[in-house]
Amino acid sequence: IGLAINLLFGFLIRRTISRPLTRISSASQRLAAGDLSQRFPISGDEEIAALGSALNSMARRLSAQMTALSDEKQRFKSIIGAMTEGVMLLDRDGRISLHNGAAPELLGSGRELIGKTPLELLRSPELDQSVRNARASGALQVVEAPLDNGRILQANVAPVRDAQGGMDSVVVVLHDLTEIRRVEHMRRD
């Protein structure tokens, strides 16, 4: 009789505690793997049901935050893409890690810009020095860079800080001054 009671008691514990915990564990592993639609079973005793409910609430909030981040990223890409100025983001090594569509047009380059340095593209030691100065001083640098194709670009070089306040990268915004300089030259003449 004692053995039967122990077996019955063990079966009830397994059914009310172990099985829901096993399902919650496997669901949390799927959630950690990126399946934000994953919901946790709300069954078992009161504490396990409360745990499942709290994890479901966390999954819903996380899913909403990921959606908001994705929307914000798409909005950012749209804004940068719509700019007529060339925008390039340089990583810690001074290589282009991101650019908008206007940058290759302003540079007159049909080549891929990602992974290149501004010095490789523009052959402008002044711009290269401005990038170094912006990284070292943390201040905005402005320089004019004449191109081989006759264009004159103004580059605004600004450091980008990370969440801890350190230098994360450098952003370069290119403005085409060719027409302005041509008009100034005509006025002087």
Side-chain angles (χ1 to χ4, degrees), residues 22-43:
T22 302
R23 285 188 295 201
I24 286 175
S25 174
S26 68
S28 63
Q29 288 173 355
R30 288 191 299 271
L31 180 67
D35 181 7
L36 298 178
S37 65
Q38 186 61 47
R39 294 299 177 254
F40 298 89
I42 302 175
S43 62

Side-chain angles (χ1 to χ4, degrees), residues 8-66:
L8 181 63
F9 185 67
F11 175 75
L12 290 175
I13 287 177
R14 183 178 183 332
R15 187 170 181 208
T16 59
I17 295 175
S18 295
R19 192 175 298 158
L21 285 177
T22 302
R23 285 188 295 201
I24 286 175
S25 174
S26 68
S28 63
Q29 288 173 355
R30 288 191 299 271
L31 180 67
D35 181 7
L36 298 178
S37 65
Q38 186 61 47
R39 294 299 177 254
F40 298 89
I42 302 175
S43 62
D45 66 350
E46 188 176 323
E47 291 86 7
I48 293 175
L51 174 64
S53 178
L55 289 172
N56 282 337
S57 175
M58 180 190 71
R60 278 190 298 277
R61 283 194 311 266
L62 185 60
S63 179
Q65 288 176 346
M66 292 298 287

Side-chain angles (χ1 to χ4, degrees), residues 127-170:
L127 178 60
D128 188 53
Q129 189 60 45
S130 292
V131 169
R132 292 173 199 262
N133 291 344
R135 190 178 299 279
S137 69
L140 174 70
Q141 304 287 314
V142 180
V143 66
E144 285 191 18
L147 300 180
D148 294 338
N149 62 9
R151 279 190 162 159
I152 300 170
L153 299 180
Q154 178 185 27
N156 295 332
V157 182
V160 178
R161 299 192 183 281
D162 59 16
Q164 292 76 30
M167 287 303 166
D168 183 46
S169 52
V170 174

Side-chain angles (χ1 to χ4, degrees), residues 80-112:
I80 296 296
M83 292 177 66
T84 57
E85 292 84 10
V87 178
M88 300 184 300
L89 183 69
L90 308 179
D91 62 16
R92 294 179 191 269
D93 299 326
R95 298 198 173 276
I96 299 170
S97 60
L98 176 75
H99 65 83
N100 68 351
E105 291 175 21
L106 283 174
L107 297 174
S109 174
R111 306 180 313 181
E112 178 57 40

Side-chain angles (χ1 to χ4, degrees), residues 70-83:
S70 177
D71 291 347
E72 190 66 26
K73 181 179 178 182
Q74 184 58 41
R75 183 172 173 226
F76 171 75
K77 279 184 168 182
S78 296
I79 291 169
I80 296 296
M83 292 177 66

